[in-house]
Amino acid sequence: MNYKYYSLSLDILHSCRSQMINNILDNDPNIYYALYSDLNSEVYNIYTKIYDLEWLKSHSDKFIEALSTLSYHEKKEFRSLFLSTLNDLANSWKDTSINLHFIEEQLQLLRSLILDNNRWNHNLNKLQVNFIKENKLLDKQLANLLQSDITPGCL
């Protein structure tokens, strides 16, 4: 193996790690939605999975960029080394079911789950507001009804 491929792989890994740190410093929504949601909720798991997949996808995007600078023979050697490294990285996570060939599909599915969850929460909030509103109106009507039924001298 040529050290050039190792160096190129390390550059990609370093660049993606730097991007992760910048995402944290720049308040990336996916990270912060996960950090500030209930750790035991499925939403937390979905947001962390989305971020993990996007982070892995950034590796493959940079890998494709790097391939464009190499000859055919170099591409074969580099592809073998880098994909092995990326697969090892993905498989090192404890509860991973990540398949590098289907990252985009997994991301789309997880994002649609988040959108569905947001819609359900929005509808739930609307129902709660309507319930509170109707409850207040009912209390007011009951108070008016009780006041009109109680007249002086009837007791």
Side-chain angles (χ1 to χ4, degrees):
M1 264 307 145
N2 188 330
Y3 286 108
K4 173 182 178 180
Y5 310 130
Y6 286 105
S7 175
L8 193 51
S9 294
L10 287 174
D11 287 346
I12 291 171
L13 294 171
H14 179 266
S15 172
C16 291
R17 179 62 56 100
S18 295
Q19 184 59 47
M20 180 196 303
I21 292 167
N22 287 334
N23 286 348
I24 292 168
L25 295 175
D26 293 340
N27 301 324
D28 181 272
N30 288 324
I31 293 172
Y32 284 89
Y33 286 142
L35 288 175
Y36 294 108
S37 62
D38 180 12
L39 294 178
N40 297 319
S41 73
E42 284 301 313
V43 173
Y44 168 80
N45 293 331
I46 291 171
Y47 275 119
T48 55
K49 187 78 153 190
I50 286 173
Y51 187 78
D52 291 345
L53 288 171
E54 286 177 342
W55 186 65
L56 277 175
K57 185 178 179 304
S58 71
H59 286 76
S60 65
D61 293 343
K62 293 200 180 292
F63 164 74
I64 291 168
E65 283 178 33
L67 280 179
S68 67
T69 65
L70 302 174
S71 70
Y72 176 77
H73 177 70
E74 290 175 321
K75 286 179 185 180
K76 267 177 81 173
E77 287 188 54
F78 178 59
R79 184 180 306 123
S80 173
L81 170 73
F82 189 76
L83 290 180
S84 171
T85 303
L86 193 56
N87 235 352
D88 290 345
L89 176 66
N91 292 328
S92 69
W93 295 338
K94 61 181 174 186
D95 79 62
T96 186
S97 59
I98 295 172
N99 183 332
L100 292 177
H101 300 289
F102 300 107
I103 288 178
E104 194 59 45
E105 288 82 3
Q106 290 173 344
L107 280 170
Q108 288 174 359
L109 176 64
L110 292 170
R111 286 182 184 129
S112 73
L113 287 172
I114 292 293
L115 288 174
D116 288 345
N117 180 66
N118 290 343
R119 272 189 235 115
W120 278 101
N121 283 336
H122 178 71
N123 288 337
L124 179 62
N125 288 341
K126 284 170 54 176
L127 285 173
Q128 288 172 333
V129 166
N130 281 336
F131 177 76
I132 292 168
K133 179 180 162 185
E134 293 297 324
N135 205 16
K136 292 288 184 186
L137 289 173
L138 182 60
D139 287 346
K140 188 176 180 180
Q141 287 174 347
L142 283 172
N144 288 339
L145 189 60
L146 287 172
Q147 269 186 337
S148 66
D149 282 344
I150 300 176
T151 56
C154 290
L155 295 175

Short mmCIF file of all heavy atoms in Angstrom, two decimals, residues 23 30 51 53 64 86 92-93 96 111 113 120 124 152 154:
data_model
loop_
_atom_site.label_atom_id
_atom_site.label_comp_id
_atom_site.label_asym_id
_atom_site.label_seq_id
_atom_site.Cartn_x
_atom_site.Cartn_y
_atom_site.Cartn_z
N ASN A 23 -19.79 21.62 13.67
CA ASN A 23 -21.24 21.48 13.79
C ASN A 23 -21.68 21.69 15.24
O ASN A 23 -22.71 22.31 15.49
CB ASN A 23 -21.70 20.11 13.31
CG ASN A 23 -21.66 19.98 11.81
OD1 ASN A 23 -21.51 20.95 11.09
ND2 ASN A 23 -21.77 18.76 11.33
N ASN A 30 -29.59 19.20 14.30
CA ASN A 30 -29.73 17.77 14.58
C ASN A 30 -29.03 17.38 15.87
O ASN A 30 -29.54 16.54 16.63
CB ASN A 30 -29.21 16.92 13.42
CG ASN A 30 -30.13 16.97 12.23
OD1 ASN A 30 -31.34 17.03 12.37
ND2 ASN A 30 -29.56 16.97 11.05
N TYR A 51 -27.74 12.30 12.57
CA TYR A 51 -26.45 12.96 12.58
C TYR A 51 -25.32 11.98 12.24
O TYR A 51 -24.43 12.30 11.45
CB TYR A 51 -26.16 13.66 13.90
CG TYR A 51 -24.90 14.46 13.78
CD1 TYR A 51 -24.91 15.68 13.12
CD2 TYR A 51 -23.68 13.96 14.21
CE1 TYR A 51 -23.75 16.40 12.91
CE2 TYR A 51 -22.52 14.67 14.02
CZ TYR A 51 -22.55 15.89 13.37
OH TYR A 51 -21.40 16.58 13.15
N LEU A 53 -25.47 9.29 10.44
CA LEU A 53 -25.51 8.95 9.02
C LEU A 53 -25.01 10.10 8.15
O LEU A 53 -24.29 9.89 7.18
CB LEU A 53 -26.93 8.55 8.61
CG LEU A 53 -27.40 7.19 9.13
CD1 LEU A 53 -28.88 7.01 8.86
CD2 LEU A 53 -26.60 6.06 8.51
N ILE A 64 -15.37 10.50 -2.63
CA ILE A 64 -15.66 10.63 -4.06
C ILE A 64 -14.88 11.80 -4.66
O ILE A 64 -14.33 11.72 -5.77
CB ILE A 64 -17.17 10.76 -4.30
CG1 ILE A 64 -17.84 9.43 -3.99
CG2 ILE A 64 -17.49 11.21 -5.71
CD1 ILE A 64 -19.35 9.47 -3.91
N LEU A 86 -13.74 2.94 6.49
CA LEU A 86 -15.05 3.52 6.77
C LEU A 86 -16.02 2.46 7.29
O LEU A 86 -16.79 2.71 8.22
CB LEU A 86 -15.61 4.18 5.51
CG LEU A 86 -16.81 5.10 5.68
CD1 LEU A 86 -16.52 6.21 6.68
CD2 LEU A 86 -17.21 5.69 4.34
N SER A 92 -17.96 -0.15 14.28
CA SER A 92 -17.43 -0.05 15.64
C SER A 92 -18.44 0.54 16.62
O SER A 92 -18.28 0.43 17.82
CB SER A 92 -16.14 0.79 15.66
OG SER A 92 -16.44 2.15 15.39
N TRP A 93 -19.49 1.18 16.09
CA TRP A 93 -20.51 1.74 16.97
C TRP A 93 -21.33 0.60 17.54
O TRP A 93 -21.69 -0.34 16.84
CB TRP A 93 -21.39 2.72 16.22
CG TRP A 93 -20.62 3.93 15.76
CD1 TRP A 93 -19.45 4.38 16.27
CD2 TRP A 93 -20.96 4.80 14.70
NE1 TRP A 93 -19.04 5.50 15.60
CE2 TRP A 93 -19.96 5.78 14.62
CE3 TRP A 93 -22.02 4.85 13.81
CZ2 TRP A 93 -19.99 6.80 13.71
CZ3 TRP A 93 -22.04 5.87 12.89
CH2 TRP A 93 -21.04 6.83 12.84
N THR A 96 -25.19 -0.31 15.96
CA THR A 96 -25.32 0.17 14.61
C THR A 96 -25.92 -0.88 13.68
O THR A 96 -25.67 -2.05 13.83
CB THR A 96 -23.95 0.65 14.06
OG1 THR A 96 -24.17 1.24 12.79
CG2 THR A 96 -22.98 -0.47 13.90
N ARG A 111 -35.62 11.12 8.41
CA ARG A 111 -36.16 12.49 8.31
C ARG A 111 -37.68 12.47 8.20
O ARG A 111 -38.36 13.33 8.78
CB ARG A 111 -35.54 13.21 7.12
CG ARG A 111 -34.10 13.61 7.34
CD ARG A 111 -33.53 14.36 6.16
NE ARG A 111 -32.14 14.66 6.37
CZ ARG A 111 -31.18 14.37 5.49
NH1 ARG A 111 -31.47 13.80 4.34
NH2 ARG A 111 -29.92 14.67 5.75
N LEU A 113 -39.60 10.23 9.52
CA LEU A 113 -40.09 9.92 10.86
C LEU A 113 -40.12 11.17 11.73
O LEU A 113 -41.06 11.38 12.49
CB LEU A 113 -39.22 8.84 11.52
CG LEU A 113 -39.37 7.43 10.99
CD1 LEU A 113 -38.32 6.51 11.60
CD2 LEU A 113 -40.77 6.90 11.27
N TRP A 120 -47.47 15.10 14.39
CA TRP A 120 -48.26 14.56 15.50
C TRP A 120 -48.21 15.49 16.70
O TRP A 120 -49.23 15.74 17.34
CB TRP A 120 -47.76 13.16 15.89
CG TRP A 120 -48.30 12.09 15.01
CD1 TRP A 120 -47.66 11.48 13.97
CD2 TRP A 120 -49.60 11.51 15.06
NE1 TRP A 120 -48.48 10.56 13.39
CE2 TRP A 120 -49.69 10.55 14.04
CE3 TRP A 120 -50.71 11.71 15.88
CZ2 TRP A 120 -50.82 9.80 13.82
CZ3 TRP A 120 -51.85 10.95 15.65
CH2 TRP A 120 -51.90 10.01 14.63
N LEU A 124 -51.30 17.37 18.34
CA LEU A 124 -51.55 17.18 19.77
C LEU A 124 -51.64 18.54 20.48
O LEU A 124 -52.53 18.76 21.30
CB LEU A 124 -50.46 16.32 20.39
CG LEU A 124 -50.57 16.05 21.88
CD1 LEU A 124 -51.84 15.29 22.20
CD2 LEU A 124 -49.35 15.28 22.37
N PRO A 152 -81.90 36.15 45.09
CA PRO A 152 -82.10 36.42 46.51
C PRO A 152 -83.49 35.96 46.95
O PRO A 152 -84.47 36.09 46.25
CB PRO A 152 -81.96 37.93 46.62
CG PRO A 152 -81.37 38.41 45.33
CD PRO A 152 -81.59 37.34 44.33
N CYS A 154 -84.51 32.88 47.42
CA CYS A 154 -84.85 31.51 47.03
C CYS A 154 -84.28 30.50 48.00
O CYS A 154 -84.69 29.35 48.01
CB CYS A 154 -84.32 31.18 45.63
SG CYS A 154 -85.19 32.05 44.33
#
